[in-house]
Amino acid sequence: MSLSLFDLFKIGIGPSSSHTVGPMVAARRFLDALDRDGRFSAVAGITVEIYGSLALTGRGHATDTAIILGLAGETPDGVDPDLIAGLVEGVRQSLRLAALGRRLISFDPDTDLVWRRKDTLPHHTNGMTFIARDAGGAEIARDSFYSIGGGFVISATEADAAAGDAPVHGDRGALPLPFSSAAELLALTRHHQIDIAGIVRRNEHALWGAPETARRLAAIKAAMLGAVDRGLATDGPLPGRLTRRRAADLARRLTERAGANALPALDGFERLSAYAIAVNEENAAGGRIVTAPTNGAAGIIPAVLAWLLRHSGIGGDERGREAAADTMLFTAAAIGMLYKLNASISGAEVGCQGEVGVASSMAAGGLAAAMGASPAQVENAAEIAMEHHLGMTCDPVGGLVQIPCIERNAMGAVKAVNAALLALAGDGSHVVSLDTVIRTMKETSHDMQSKYKETSLGGLAVNVPVC
């Protein structure tokens, strides 16, 4: 099964790829399947059972909103964030929902969304079961889906076949340069005498063609930078009233201090922090972001990308900077694929090491490549970043993707740049391989208690009072 850069980088909405984007996709997939086989016209009502981590933190992660949107036919990359509140409130008031936007059915969110917090489905803690009924109450169809991190969704049938390891994409055809480990990836670069970005670029061109790959990549970059800029320009409280936005204030302070020569060496790190916080405040507010590779870690790669394009001087002129940015994203995607294939990017499955840790690792390797690193140095940068995120828990306070998630993205971005610089200071030789650190991350997750994996049952989530 082939993974694409555009599986890891997906334009969507906040606040969570696994708890918002995934359930939205699953809800629409369920109805689309009924529409294809001719049963949709008989649907009069739908019940959705929500299990495990999805149920425990679902309300804070807008899982209920996402399911309503998916049943209404919306998609993560197509829905207008400004219209979501009105659409959902309309369903709550009328107790009716326009399924796929065209068939009015009964739907009461208070009774038709069933939160099974103490139960889990077999393959993953982020499970949900959709049940469609006719006008007489008889069951028409039932299917279960799993949101396995980063917006990836598999059905129960697919989970049985693939054991939940990788998403099923249908037959995309064989990739010209397949790899499933860092060792294989480095061997390909040596054999073909091209860098890691070149490997991924050839595979993407085979999947989509060069023009479509370029178009999609440009859209991803624009969405990432757009999230940075919206976050920097917006003030006010975040949903849940747990905290307020502060990226705009950080940006104002940076502007006011420009030229003041106060600790200029730290200016880059302050900008990285402001950019990462800006994106994750947009995510927390349910705004448009790019899953990179998850929503909870969506600020890290855009922050490093914005710093690279706007402040680093890497690449020289505009054309050179854009080429460096492309190299960064192609390389980062390769690293993300390795985590997805060999471990997990689901906070509910492996803790935040699989979200912020993976994003920092991707950004570190990508930035190193953009700065001219050899493939061995790129692998070293990615390994360094993850090595210092091992064991990171996922313990969102109040079930919201805010504390510690927003600041954690700033720290992950700073670590990514530092890891890239450390790798570039060496010759690429290192003791711990990227494959070893990925395997260690997976083993660490097996030893981690479930209460530290996106359940809000442990850690900061229970030690910080929410009034």
Side-chain angles (χ1 to χ4, degrees), residues 202-288:
R202 286 193 188 181
N203 287 341
E204 296 301 324
H205 287 179
L207 290 173
W208 318 108
E212 179 63 10
T213 298
R215 185 195 69 78
R216 290 188 179 204
L217 191 63
I220 292 296
K221 287 190 291 186
M224 285 183 172
L225 297 174
V228 169
D229 293 337
R230 285 193 305 277
L232 292 176
T234 309
D235 288 300
L238 290 169
R241 303 284 171 172
L242 189 63
T243 186
R244 294 180 62 84
R245 290 178 182 257
R246 53 179 166 158
D249 185 55
L250 291 171
R252 282 191 290 268
R253 290 181 58 198
L254 280 167
T255 300
E256 291 166 1
R257 257 199 7 237
N261 207 29
L263 298 175
L266 300 182
D267 181 77
F269 280 177
E270 287 189 290
R271 290 189 184 279
L272 282 167
S273 296
Y275 292 164
I277 288 171
V279 174
N280 278 80
E281 287 176 347
E282 280 295 291
N283 178 64
R288 176 76 64 215

Side-chain angles (χ1 to χ4, degrees), residues 22 36 39 49 59 64 113 134 180 205 208 264 299 334 388 390 395 397 407 410 415 444:
R36 286 193 301 272
R39 290 181 288 173
E49 297 176 344
R59 293 190 187 277
D64 46 354
L113 294 175
D134 65 17
S180 59
H205 287 179
W208 318 108
H388 302 290
L390 288 173
D395 48 355
V397 175
E407 282 185 356
K415 281 187 181 181
T444 301

Side-chain angles (χ1 to χ4, degrees), residues 341-359:
L341 289 169
N342 298 300
S344 174
I345 58 172
S346 167
E349 191 172 19
V350 298
C352 200
Q353 59 178 354
E355 297 203 30
V356 164
V358 171

Side-chain angles (χ1 to χ4, degrees), residues 296-363:
I300 294 170
I301 293 173
V304 176
L305 178 71
W307 176 81
L308 183 155
L309 285 169
R310 297 173 178 178
H311 306 288
S312 72
I314 296 169
D317 61 15
E318 182 178 356
R319 186 172 180 178
R321 290 194 299 272
E322 288 297 331
D326 289 353
T327 293
M328 176 186 160
L329 293 178
F330 279 123
T331 305
I335 295 163
M337 291 172 195
L338 296 176
Y339 284 100
K340 177 62 185 162
L341 289 169
N342 298 300
S344 174
I345 58 172
S346 167
E349 191 172 19
V350 298
C352 200
Q353 59 178 354
E355 297 203 30
V356 164
V358 171
S360 185
S361 182
M362 292 168 67

